[in-house]
Amino acid sequence: MTLRKWFYLFWTTLFIGAISALVIGIILQTNDQQFSFLNGSAVGYNIVTMLLGGATISVLSQMGFFAYLIIRFIAIGIVRSKWVWDVLQIVLVIIALIDLVYLRDANAQESWLSYTTLPLMMLIVGLGISYWKVKLTNRNGFIPTLFFMIVVTAIEAVPALRLDTAASTIFMMVPLIASNAWQILILSKVLKTNKEPI
């Protein structure tokens, strides 16, 4: 990874995060007149703050991505068996999906079934991105991509999940998932390899 490649990854991810936040923010504002990002009421103000919010979310996504790469590198050094590492990642994916329902439901008055939508959507998107990653690289990329798209995204989304409102969750999750998907899919192209680098 050279500085030039990192700059490309950084700026394209920033752009994707900002634009996806703007698009979902406008959709949310159109459907819910009470929705405003950072309590702004003026349209121009909201557009600028949505772009900045999306850019900030994309930076959070990038920090999570590089933290994952480092942790994965260390874990592979400790756990020598690829099979054991894959099983551990699958177990953590299952735990993360269950926690997205259980931890949010713990203090809620609603039924736990209402909290299954987000984990199911994350699982569907994660499986789709993982399948796409396999097409771009090889079958070894499926489990790491699924782990990153579900577990790391869930950790990065904690600030929005704490608010426990649908609008804030959607506003953060869309650019976060878009940024994470972009980074994981483009990495092999940036590094110019058809092997699974992560």
Side-chain angles (χ1 to χ4, degrees):
M1 176 73 77
T2 63
L3 197 56
R4 179 191 232 174
K5 291 176 181 177
W6 178 77
F7 272 165
Y8 173 77
L9 192 61
F10 176 82
W11 289 110
T12 55
T13 306
L14 195 77
F15 177 77
I16 286 170
I19 295 302
S20 59
L22 178 63
V23 170
I24 197 64
I26 289 171
I27 291 169
L28 287 170
Q29 201 164 29
T30 303
N31 292 327
D32 181 6
Q33 297 301 320
Q34 300 299 319
F35 176 77
S36 63
F37 185 63
L38 295 177
N39 297 322
S41 57
V43 174
Y45 175 81
N46 257 342
I47 288 174
V48 171
T49 54
M50 285 176 194
L51 285 169
L52 291 175
T56 304
I57 292 167
S58 78
V59 170
L60 173 68
S61 165
Q62 292 177 61
M63 289 191 311
F65 183 62
F66 284 103
Y68 167 69
L69 291 176
I70 292 167
I71 289 169
R72 185 176 189 277
F73 179 76
I74 292 168
I76 287 176
I78 294 169
V79 181
R80 298 285 178 168
S81 169
K82 182 184 178 326
W83 182 84
V84 171
W85 176 238
D86 286 347
V87 168
L88 182 61
Q89 288 181 98
I90 290 171
V91 168
L92 290 173
V93 165
I94 293 167
I95 290 170
L97 290 171
I98 292 170
D99 278 352
L100 281 171
V101 175
Y102 176 73
L103 294 179
R104 294 176 72 206
D105 180 51
N107 299 324
Q109 303 298 328
E110 301 173 35
S111 166
W112 65 272
L113 286 172
S114 63
Y115 290 101
T116 58
T117 305
L118 178 64
L120 284 175
M121 292 306 295
M122 287 180 67
L123 180 61
I124 290 166
V125 170
L127 289 170
I129 297 297
S130 300
Y131 179 74
W132 194 353
K133 183 69 172 179
V134 167
K135 291 291 186 188
L136 292 174
T137 57
N138 57 45
R139 63 185 179 89
N140 292 329
F142 187 85
I143 292 175
T145 303
L146 185 65
F147 176 84
F148 176 72
M149 289 302 299
I150 293 176
V151 176
V152 177
T153 302
I155 293 169
E156 293 168 343
V158 166
L161 298 177
R162 281 186 174 175
L163 295 176
D164 199 26
T165 62
S168 63
T169 302
I170 292 168
F171 184 77
M172 184 167 189
M173 291 303 291
V174 169
L176 193 57
I177 289 173
S179 297
N180 282 346
W182 169 254
Q183 290 176 100
I184 200 108
L185 291 173
I186 200 68
L187 185 64
S188 57
K189 183 178 178 184
V190 168
L191 297 178
K192 293 187 171 141
T193 177
N194 61 352
K195 294 180 182 176
E196 173 51 34
I198 63 166

